[in-house]
Amino acid sequence: MIVKPRIRGFICTTAHPTGCAAHVREQINYVAAQGAASANGFKNVLVLGCSGGYGLASRIVAGFGYQANTLGISFEKAPAENKTASAGWYNNLAFEAAAKAAGVYARTLDGDAFSDAMRDQAAEVIRQDMGQIDLVVYSLASPVRQHPHTGELHRSSIKPLGEVLDIKTVHVEKGEVSEVSLEPATQEESANTVAVMGGEDWELWMQMLKEQDLLAPGAQTVAYTYIGSELTWPIYWEGTLGLAKADLDRASRAISDNLADIGGSARVAVLKAIVSQASSAIPVVPLYVALLFKVMKEQGIHEDCISHIYRLFSTQLVPGIEQRLDDQGRIRVDDQELSDAVQGAVKQRWPQVTTENLPQLGDLEGFREDFLRIFGFGIAGVDYDAEVDPLGIG
Ligand code: NAD
């Protein structure tokens, strides 16, 4: 079949098999070209949420920057005869094929990472194939979580807290800037969001790995968070998502305590805004990201997903390195996004931006391109008029 993008709101319902493979290859090539990573960095890495965005980039840096064995876990949709798979499904295939060709161990488990059944399966694979894990990357982003003990289905809400929020946003497809009115979350919606995106599941994973003696001495774990600019705080850091992320901070301290006797540690790493499936669904964020990308590109400091994660690993995670932590003990690699020069320029543009001047003040085009790239579209060298088999790569 010939695969074209089919966009519905903030999701693309098709993914291009060869495009996704080429996107993974581009990221591998970027990491391989850095050549600076030490081969002694990581041996066995578990990546939860390995199939896209920051989790995929982490797996690529671990596997191809540090030649680490990786076990990846994700929840993706398989293809059917006439229907493409989700992008992450093709990404996993492409990663595994490239790892195999490079002689690096890679195994992927597809299913619900929030379930005890998946934890059991992962434990079995680690025991049989890897031994002990020295780095666990927690990069899940999901709108729902079925609690493994109560069976309750929690749904997250991306909402402000306290009062109605009137704020600027952009319709990504139409390019129209407008004001939206966002209703505040109820207490129940807030609690559900913490249950989905907070730290409890991370703790359960780390407890299981420790109890089953699957963590190497000095093992590290890192979970990703976003704080961002005051411009997005009302919907992010001071909203339901911020509550969930604060719970991640709580969990990092609890996990660190639990790992102390094996010399291990847990950190939350604060990353920069990028375009991902998860971030595209957050109101206001696409407008902020469009302005941010324009400013960072103008200042020559734009980082994409893979270059950002490479910087995280090589300057903050590699064993023995001195980490740059904030007063909450978080690793900060959002320093460039939050620099005065960048934030000053973005904040100056924010009140001025309209549908008419967005092309001058912002980089919505860059946002759209990155969005399509997530689904394997717009990748250099891919023939999008060629027939492809949705069941595989090629
Ligand atoms: P993403 O949507 O690109 O990837 C999410 C991953 O989670 C995918 O691999 C998906 O398969 C997996 N997943 C979802 N539900 C699952 C389940 N039940 N079981 C197994 N796997 C499941 O997300 P992303 O934007 O890369 O976000 C990853 C983390 O990084 C999140 O914690 C997010 O808050 C954080 N972060 C994102 C940004 C950003 O701008 N995108 C910025 C800073 C921090």
Side-chain angles (χ1 to χ4, degrees), residues 56-138:
L56 174 61
S58 303
R59 191 179 194 189
I60 290 173
V61 172
F64 290 88
Y66 296 91
Q67 288 72 50
N69 305 319
T70 59
L71 172 61
I73 297 177
S74 62
F75 207 0
E76 296 296 336
K77 226 179 262 145
E81 200 70 36
N82 286 313
K83 201 171 181 313
T84 65
S86 55
W89 196 88
Y90 295 127
N91 292 340
N92 287 340
L93 275 191
F95 180 88
E96 285 178 3
K100 194 168 175 206
V104 178
Y105 173 90
R107 175 95 186 261
T108 309
L109 299 176
D110 200 61
D112 184 6
F114 297 134
S115 69
D116 285 339
M118 179 54 85
R119 273 186 270 276
D120 291 345
Q121 223 184 320
E124 209 40 50
V125 172
I126 296 166
R127 215 178 342 264
Q128 289 198 353
D129 295 359
M130 301 169 96
Q132 289 183 316
I133 297 289
D134 48 16
L135 175 66
V136 179
V137 175
Y138 191 86

Side-chain angles (χ1 to χ4, degrees), residues 48-55 73-76 111-114 138-144 197 224-226 236 245 248 269-279:
L48 297 155
C50 67
S51 60
Y54 278 136
I73 297 177
S74 62
F75 207 0
E76 296 296 336
D112 184 6
F114 297 134
Y138 191 86
S139 187
L140 295 177
S142 171
V144 294
M197 288 296 289
Y224 296 150
T225 199
Y226 182 65
Y236 199 101
K245 294 302 192 184
L248 216 52
V270 191
L271 306 182
K272 78 178 282 279
I274 52 148
V275 183
S276 74
Q277 287 198 51
S279 70

Side-chain angles (χ1 to χ4, degrees), residues 207-246:
Q207 269 162 20
M208 180 282 283
L209 293 168
K210 173 136 190 268
E211 274 164 24
Q212 301 206 23
D213 199 23
L214 296 174
L215 292 176
Q220 295 187 73
T221 181
V222 64
Y224 296 150
T225 199
Y226 182 65
I227 294 179
S229 159
E230 284 102 320
L231 293 169
T232 58
W233 280 3
I235 187 62
Y236 199 101
W237 190 243
E238 294 173 347
T240 48
L241 282 173
L243 285 181
K245 294 302 192 184

Side-chain angles (χ1 to χ4, degrees), residues 308-367:
H308 192 57
I309 291 296
Y310 183 80
R311 181 158 72 91
L312 169 72
F313 271 65
S314 58
T315 71
Q316 300 296 313
L317 290 185
V318 73
I321 207 145
E322 196 179 327
Q323 294 176 325
R324 197 181 55 244
L325 305 176
D326 68 13
D327 56 0
Q328 299 295 312
R330 306 183 198 103
I331 297 170
R332 302 299 296 245
V333 272
D334 57 346
D335 48 332
Q336 294 183 345
E337 172 177 347
L338 295 190
S339 69
D340 290 345
V342 169
Q343 285 303 312
V346 174
K347 284 177 189 163
Q348 195 188 9
R349 291 172 198 207
W350 185 261
Q352 296 169 10
V353 69
T354 60
T355 306
E356 290 68 37
N357 65 23
L358 180 56
Q360 288 80 52
L361 298 184
D363 184 24
L364 188 61
E365 219 25 66
F367 185 100

